[in-house]
Amino acid sequence: MEPKYLFRRYAEVQNEGEDDMINTREILAENVHLSEDGKSVVIIDQTKLPNVTEYLTLSTAEEMYRAIKELQVRGAPAIGICAGYSIYCLAQQITESDFALFYARFKKDKEYLDSSRPTAVNLSWALKRMESVVTANRDKEISQIIELLGEEAVSIQREDIEMCRKISEYGLSLLKEGDGILTHCNAGPLATSRYGTAIGPMLLGNERGMKFKVFSDETRPLLQGARLTSYELQKAGIDVTLICDNMASLVMKNGWVQACFVGCDRIAANGDAANKIGTSGVAILAKHYGIPFYVLGPTSTIDMNCKTGEDIVIELRDEDEIRSKFYEKPMALKEVKCYNPAFDVTDHELIHGIITEKGILRPPYTESLAKLF
Amino acid sequence: MEPKYLFRRYAEVQNEGEDDMINTREILAENVHLSEDGKSVVIIDQTKLPNVTEYLTLSTAEEMYRAIKELQVRGAPAIGICAGYSIYCLAQQITESDFALFYARFKKDKEYLDSSRPTAVNLSWALKRMESVVTANRDKEISQIIELLGEEAVSIQREDIEMCRKISEYGLSLLKEGDGILTHCNAGPLATSRYGTAIGPMLLGNERGMKFKVFSDETRPLLQGARLTSYELQKAGIDVTLICDNMASLVMKNGWVQACFVGCDRIAANGDAANKIGTSGVAILAKHYGIPFYVLGPTSTIDMNCKTGEDIVIELRDEDEIRSKFYEKPMALKEVKCYNPAFDVTDHELIHGIITEKGILRPPYTESLAKLF
């Protein structure tokens, strides 16, 4: 049976007027999607960004495994979406018509993909969700099961888009035409699908013809702001200015910033928010200059078992990321020691609002968060 | 006549017990000095730091010109010192015994060296000072004039050392054993002679057996903190930890910093201080965490004609310093615009004290600065 063509490029869908949440920009439309014949997964190769924009067509299990393992696709939600489409494509390749044989082969493919990045939660979450489609429909024909798998893969992406869209909508309600927004690190389309979180409001507003000026901290040492955020915004046609992290103070002093929007990795029950290293510094500068500071993320990021930021353990990373990574030659003596924390915690008192898909939470967070759950 | 051996390596002098302001560490002793035979200038090649520590012996006018032009020696005071020794060495090579002929050749060498970096104030200041030794002693024998030139060159360096030493002494009076100090950019021995300004207190204290923990901001985009400050401190045997600029907030929050010491490029009459980009951010973080923030520099940096920081023009530099400099491959799209200010101004209200060779100035600075002049 010919697989149903489930997922078309957004640009095409838009031309047909079928979808009201369309973005015509290349980067937003084509991060992770099915090929035109619906048999392969197409991804943007993130390891080559920002110098080369290259799409990879993944058709075999080995190609899919490598894409996830080697970070050609990265960002927890994007990995989950890619895994969903991947296992759907692999299921189409199974020639068995007997359910037990089909399921055995499906399970083998699933476990192989799942082993590509053992610690990525969204990867195994998406694969488990796909497997449950198979087991819940064991009485149906294989061709029907494959069709349902395709629909489930699309749902995974649609739900992520919808969640990001809601966050973006709430965030956008805080902005007005011409605003300057400062962001740190990357919480955009490349890590998710379509809008992303922290830069979603600007992408959504841009679709509606609003103009913003975005300042993207380069975000040392891994430069996600330079490599990814400024790339996404530039490709989306938004006015973006890349700055070094230590320039944020002057940019704010110049009066160019009306709001700070950042993503988050974990939010404690009192509103303390862990995010990429440097976020707490941005929040302190924003307070000094009287600029509102917002944290954007799905409610799944809120960890009510975590009382305060004190409970969040900060990952320490390789010192060479500071001394030599990305450089032509090392920039510090090998024997100079470095402190390289990956995250910091922003005190809840510095946060004007936490923007989720369920609305904007305001202080006191112990109350607004408790009410939410 | 055999030129008098005017300037020996500090280590030798120390062995003879002749000098009470000795530092035995390689980097402090050998930044810029005369060769053993007194006929050449020896410098550390700063373009090769931190990967290679290489000394260059400059004997010809062309070598001296190139060393200054190509930043093998950099830092305004260090350039002035190098120029003084250079013109002294070149004067020794003049074979004329007639004053007019000697002076004509001297003047030619001086103008050649002076053209190596037209905007470096200390360069022409030092060369003019050397020239005035020649013109003021035209009645003396050439050999005597050369001897006086050697003494003047040593004086230029000795005065710089003395000035840095006094600043360091005042700065050290604010520290106690075991303190953590955060510094930004480079205001150390490589840019001056011996102690430098902002890191002078730690170097001086270290000579006296005191222990400190210094945190050096890497200082994007030109990485002076990584390339130079952490190098100097490591070579001096001081406990130094290199961090990315955006990590300063967490380092302070951890309770590791008891004082911030930074250099300055210009100080206005109200105490506003211009320094390397990012300095104002450090000052705001320090205020947030209740940590005293000090600016260190010679009184020559104070510009009473400058009423406030508003009068200080901020140099904007090449955008590629952010996008691609030092990297193996560019880290942002060429079309992404960047804002690359070289300096920012720290508001006088954030500064606990301005440490000069004449003492520590305290707020209100309009009064303490006016009193000084």
Side-chain angles (χ1 to χ4, degrees):
Chain A
M1 176 204 167
E2 199 62 18
K4 192 174 165 187
Y5 178 41
L6 285 159
F7 201 76
R8 284 162 293 178
R9 288 186 186 165
Y10 286 121
E12 293 172 32
V13 181
Q14 186 188 38
N15 289 340
E16 296 166 21
E18 287 178 11
D19 191 329
D20 71 340
M21 21 176 229
I22 290 309
N23 186 299
T24 55
R25 301 291 176 177
E26 180 189 46
I27 177 63
L28 300 180
E30 307 204 358
N31 182 19
V32 178
H33 63 87
L34 277 184
S35 62
E36 295 209 10
D37 65 3
K39 291 182 177 176
S40 308
V41 186
V42 180
I43 62 165
I44 190 165
D45 184 350
Q46 295 195 38
T47 62
K48 299 216 171 125
L49 296 179
N51 298 300
V52 178
T53 304
E54 191 176 301
Y55 293 91
L56 297 176
T57 300
L58 315 173
S59 303
T60 68
E62 290 69 29
E63 286 167 350
M64 294 158 181
Y65 176 94
R66 197 172 56 237
I68 297 171
K69 185 178 176 68
E70 294 180 2
L71 312 184
Q72 290 169 327
V73 56
R74 56 151 282 289
I79 290 172
I81 293 160
C82 182
Y85 285 132
S86 294
I87 194 70
Y88 162 59
C89 292
L90 294 177
Q92 293 176 49
Q93 296 171 20
I94 304 175
T95 52
E96 314 291 349
S97 55
D98 173 71
F99 179 82
L101 293 172
F102 172 84
Y103 182 44
R105 169 75 194 278
F106 178 93
K107 218 171 153 59
K108 206 180 139 196
D109 286 340
K110 181 220 148 194
E111 278 161 16
Y112 175 64
L113 291 182
D114 204 15
S115 67
S116 59
R117 280 189 77 185
T119 54
V121 175
N122 288 52
L123 172 62
S124 45
W125 166 84
L127 289 170
K128 262 185 210 138
R129 185 166 157 177
M130 295 295 281
E131 184 180 6
S132 69
V133 168
V134 177
T135 52
N137 294 284
R138 55 176 68 231
D139 54 330
K140 296 207 174 70
E141 276 181 37
I142 300 296
S143 63
Q144 278 183 293
I145 295 175
I146 289 174
E147 195 165 318
L148 290 167
L149 280 170
E151 284 166 14
E152 193 71 12
V154 170
S155 292
I156 291 172
Q157 184 166 36
R158 294 240 157 210
E159 287 164 22
D160 187 63
I161 291 173
E162 193 52 32
M163 187 267 293
C164 289
R165 181 193 162 80
K166 282 182 181 158
I167 291 173
S168 303
E169 200 74 75
Y170 284 117
L172 184 57
S173 73
L174 300 169
L175 297 176
K176 58 179 197 311
E177 174 76 20
D179 272 355
I181 300 105
L182 189 136
T183 188
H184 189 75
C185 198
N186 176 257
L190 286 167
T192 59
S193 196
R194 196 82 65 100
Y195 298 103
T197 55
I199 68 167
M202 290 81 93
L203 293 169
L204 188 65
N206 184 55
E207 283 182 15
R208 297 179 184 162
M210 290 174 76
K211 299 279 175 231
F212 304 111
K213 283 184 175 295
V214 184
F215 294 89
S216 171
D217 278 356
E218 64 176 7
T219 318
R220 282 280 294 152
L222 296 182
L223 297 164
Q224 293 92 338
R227 294 187 297 113
L228 306 175
T229 304
S230 79
Y231 174 94
E232 290 172 333
L233 291 165
Q234 184 77 28
K235 289 285 182 185
I238 293 176
D239 183 338
V240 58
T241 303
L242 178 64
I243 58 171
C244 296
D245 301 312
N246 66 26
M247 294 166 186
S249 173
L250 183 53
V251 167
M252 290 184 191
K253 189 179 186 180
N254 289 346
W256 297 345
V257 181
Q258 279 67 55
C260 297
F261 278 9
V262 300
C264 54
D265 288 86
R266 205 193 297 200
I267 297 173
N270 71 340
D272 289 351
N275 189 43
K276 185 61 57 198
I277 184 68
T279 304
S280 71
V282 173
I284 293 165
L285 295 178
K287 184 187 174 189
H288 180 83
Y289 291 111
I291 298 164
F293 178 92
Y294 296 99
V295 170
L296 296 89
T299 49
S300 59
T301 315
I302 301 164
D303 183 354
M304 295 301 279
N305 294 323
C306 214
K307 280 213 177 76
T308 75
E310 297 286 316
D311 299 333
I312 301 174
V313 178
I314 303 292
E315 173 194 357
L316 289 180
R317 295 179 56 85
D318 189 347
E319 299 181 33
D320 278 336
E321 287 183 354
I322 296 179
R323 286 186 296 241
S324 55
K325 192 176 170 72
F326 297 130
Y327 295 129
E328 234 173 344
K329 304 183 286 194
M331 285 292 129
L333 291 175
K334 179 74 190 164
E335 59 265 36
V336 167
K337 67 173 177 243
C338 299
Y339 173 60
N340 186 15
F343 305 98
D344 63 15
V345 174
T346 299
D347 194 278
H348 62 278
E349 289 183 358
L350 298 166
I351 301 172
H352 279 64
I354 298 172
I355 304 173
T356 75
E357 78 279 13
K358 295 189 179 162
I360 303 172
L361 304 176
R362 296 286 188 178
Y365 296 108
T366 39
E367 288 176 26
S368 54
L369 283 169
K371 214 166 138 186
L372 188 72
F373 287 95
Chain B
M1 177 206 163
E2 199 62 18
K4 192 174 167 188
Y5 178 40
L6 284 160
F7 201 77
R8 284 162 291 177
R9 289 184 186 164
Y10 286 122
E12 293 172 32
V13 181
Q14 185 187 37
N15 289 339
E16 295 167 21
E18 286 179 11
D19 191 330
D20 70 340
M21 22 176 227
I22 290 310
N23 185 300
T24 55
R25 302 290 176 177
E26 180 190 47
I27 177 63
L28 300 180
E30 306 205 357
N31 182 19
V32 178
H33 63 86
L34 277 184
S35 63
E36 295 210 12
D37 66 3
K39 291 181 175 175
S40 309
V41 186
V42 179
I43 63 165
I44 190 165
D45 184 351
Q46 296 195 37
T47 62
K48 299 218 171 124
L49 294 179
N51 299 300
V52 178
T53 305
E54 190 176 302
Y55 293 90
L56 297 175
T57 300
L58 315 172
S59 302
T60 70
E62 290 70 28
E63 287 167 348
M64 295 159 182
Y65 176 94
R66 196 172 57 237
I68 298 171
K69 186 179 177 67
E70 295 180 2
L71 313 185
Q72 290 168 327
V73 58
R74 55 152 281 290
I79 289 172
I81 293 161
C82 182
Y85 285 132
S86 292
I87 194 69
Y88 162 60
C89 291
L90 294 177
Q92 292 177 49
Q93 295 171 21
I94 304 174
T95 51
E96 313 291 349
S97 55
D98 172 71
F99 179 82
L101 294 172
F102 172 84
Y103 183 45
R105 168 76 194 279
F106 178 93
K107 215 170 157 60
K108 207 180 140 195
D109 287 339
K110 180 220 148 193
E111 278 160 17
Y112 176 63
L113 291 183
D114 205 14
S115 67
S116 58
R117 281 189 76 185
T119 54
V121 174
N122 288 52
L123 172 63
S124 46
W125 167 83
L127 288 169
K128 262 184 210 140
R129 186 166 156 178
M130 294 296 281
E131 184 180 7
S132 70
V133 169
V134 177
T135 53
N137 294 285
R138 54 176 69 231
D139 54 329
K140 295 206 173 71
E141 277 180 38
I142 300 297
S143 63
Q144 278 182 292
I145 294 175
I146 289 173
E147 195 165 320
L148 291 167
L149 280 170
E151 284 165 13
E152 193 71 12
V154 169
S155 294
I156 290 172
Q157 184 165 38
R158 295 239 156 209
E159 288 165 21
D160 186 63
I161 292 172
E162 193 53 33
M163 187 267 293
C164 289
R165 181 192 161 81
K166 282 181 181 158
I167 290 172
S168 302
E169 200 74 76
Y170 285 116
L172 184 57
S173 73
L174 299 170
L175 297 176
K176 61 181 195 310
E177 175 75 19
D179 272 355
I181 300 107
L182 188 136
T183 188
H184 189 76
C185 198
N186 177 258
L190 286 166
T192 60
S193 197
R194 197 83 65 98
Y195 298 103
T197 55
I199 68 167
M202 289 81 93
L203 293 168
L204 188 65
N206 184 54
E207 283 182 15
R208 296 179 186 163
M210 289 174 77
K211 298 279 176 229
F212 304 112
K213 283 183 175 297
V214 184
F215 293 89
S216 171
D217 277 357
E218 63 176 7
T219 318
R220 284 279 295 152
L222 296 183
L223 297 164
Q224 294 91 339
R227 294 187 298 111
L228 307 175
T229 304
S230 79
Y231 174 95
E232 291 171 333
L233 291 166
Q234 184 76 28
K235 289 285 184 186
I238 293 176
D239 183 337
V240 58
T241 302
L242 179 64
I243 58 171
C244 296
D245 302 311
N246 66 24
M247 295 166 185
S249 172
L250 182 53
V251 167
M252 291 184 191
K253 189 179 186 180
N254 289 345
W256 297 346
V257 181
Q258 280 65 56
C260 297
F261 277 10
V262 301
C264 55
D265 289 86
R266 206 195 296 202
I267 297 173
N270 71 340
D272 288 352
N275 189 44
K276 185 59 58 197
I277 185 68
T279 303
S280 71
V282 173
I284 292 164
L285 295 178
K287 185 187 174 191
H288 179 82
Y289 291 111
I291 298 164
F293 178 92
Y294 296 99
V295 170
L296 297 90
T299 49
S300 59
T301 315
I302 301 164
D303 183 353
M304 295 301 279
N305 293 322
C306 214
K307 279 211 176 79
T308 76
E310 298 286 315
D311 299 333
I312 301 173
V313 179
I314 302 292
E315 174 195 356
L316 288 180
R317 295 178 56 85
D318 190 346
E319 299 180 34
D320 278 336
E321 287 183 354
I322 296 178
R323 286 187 296 242
S324 55
K325 192 175 170 75
F326 296 130
Y327 296 129
E328 235 173 344
K329 303 185 286 193
M331 286 291 128
L333 290 174
K334 179 74 189 165
E335 58 265 36
V336 167
K337 67 173 178 244
C338 299
Y339 173 60
N340 186 15
F343 305 98
D344 63 16
V345 174
T346 299
D347 193 279
H348 62 277
E349 288 184 358
L350 298 166
I351 301 171
H352 279 65
I354 297 172
I355 304 173
T356 74
E357 79 279 13
K358 294 187 180 162
I360 303 172
L361 304 176
R362 296 287 187 177
Y365 295 110
T366 39
E367 288 176 26
S368 54
L369 283 168
K371 213 167 138 187
L372 187 74
F373 286 96

